[in-house]
Amino acid sequence: LAENIVYVAGDRVVTDPLAKPFSMGRNLLCVHSKKYIDEDPSTKSAKMKQNRATLSRMQKMLSAGGTLLWIAPSGGRDRPNDDGKWLPADFDETTVALMYRLGSSAKSKTHFYPFAMWSWKIMPPPPKVVVELGEERVINHSGVGVSLAAPLDIGSIIEGVEDADDKAAVAKAITEKTWDEMNKEYLKLDDAIVANDAATASWQGFVLP
């Protein structure tokens, strides 16, 4: 399954010296993030052109069917809240609306599965977004996990929207439902991994930071 997944990711997975080796040999579709697309005006036009090409490719893949696309609608790495608690970042409604539009207009039926991934402790991101490459990296030993939820019932979600013709309201409802289902899986992973890490640490005679 892992060999056939197509990952939709930002350009840093192929430009960051530390991330690049892990991206080699993967099926990647690059989308330049809104956070960084304006950082170099001279390359903005080329980045926007690549984004359009990626969307066109995604539409063709969804229409052909049999494609597993992995997308992170939060648009970046999760960071701790003010209390130091790590939780998944809010999903970008524009990204979710775009995927819904691509999926609903595809010639083959598209299924939307929320899923959670717990891996932040291995290499936590800096507290704030860093535009420049070369941020400090801290590597830890930790468990990781991925948990898949049931497919979304898009029809039922839309039925719950007061005005189904209101595209913004539909996007908001789908985004919130997707995040809620994903977060349920994330909390399961959080409980399992944190508890297991603590038990392993105690058994081996050391204390986790």
Side-chain angles (χ1 to χ4, degrees), residues 103-181:
S104 59
S105 61
K107 296 178 181 178
S108 297
K109 182 174 177 58
T110 300
H111 304 274
F112 297 92
Y113 287 85
F115 72 92
M117 181 172 68
W118 198 108
S119 62
W120 65 264
K121 187 177 286 187
I122 290 180
M123 191 173 68
K128 304 294 182 181
V129 175
V130 178
V131 175
E132 300 80 11
L133 293 177
E135 66 190 48
E136 180 184 9
R137 307 300 174 94
V138 179
I139 308 297
N140 301 304
H141 179 276
S142 172
V144 298
V146 174
S147 185
L148 186 70
L152 294 174
D153 186 343
I154 299 295
S156 295
I157 297 173
I158 296 177
E159 286 179 3
V161 178
E162 185 174 348
D163 182 3
D165 293 326
D166 186 340
K167 294 182 179 179
V170 170
K172 179 179 176 62
I174 296 175
T175 301
E176 291 179 348
K177 180 62 175 178
T178 305
W179 191 94
D180 287 343
E181 294 303 312

Side-chain angles (χ1 to χ4, degrees), residues 25-178:
R26 301 295 87 185
N27 303 311
L28 291 173
L29 290 176
C30 181
V31 175
H32 294 275
S33 170
K34 292 182 293 185
K35 295 179 182 178
Y36 309 117
I37 200 167
D38 292 321
E39 64 182 12
D40 183 359
S42 66
T43 62
K44 181 176 180 178
S45 177
K47 291 177 179 178
M48 294 179 67
K49 182 178 180 180
Q50 183 174 5
N51 282 358
R52 290 192 295 270
T54 296
L55 293 179
S56 176
R57 177 62 176 158
M58 290 168 62
Q59 181 71 80
K60 292 177 181 177
M61 295 172 78
L62 291 173
S63 290
T67 299
L68 176 54
L69 289 175
W70 176 308
I71 299 168
S74 58
R77 293 176 291 177
D78 303 324
R79 289 176 168 80
N81 60 19
D82 294 337
D83 297 324
K85 178 69 174 177
W86 290 78
L87 292 172
D90 292 336
F91 286 170
D92 179 57
E93 289 185 17
T94 303
T95 301
V96 175
L98 174 61
M99 290 311 304
Y100 168 63
R101 179 172 62 81
L102 291 176
S104 59
S105 61
K107 296 178 181 178
S108 297
K109 182 174 177 58
T110 300
H111 304 274
F112 297 92
Y113 287 85
F115 72 92
M117 181 172 68
W118 198 108
S119 62
W120 65 264
K121 187 177 286 187
I122 290 180
M123 191 173 68
K128 304 294 182 181
V129 175
V130 178
V131 175
E132 300 80 11
L133 293 177
E135 66 190 48
E136 180 184 9
R137 307 300 174 94
V138 179
I139 308 297
N140 301 304
H141 179 276
S142 172
V144 298
V146 174
S147 185
L148 186 70
L152 294 174
D153 186 343
I154 299 295
S156 295
I157 297 173
I158 296 177
E159 286 179 3
V161 178
E162 185 174 348
D163 182 3
D165 293 326
D166 186 340
K167 294 182 179 179
V170 170
K172 179 179 176 62
I174 296 175
T175 301
E176 291 179 348
K177 180 62 175 178
T178 305

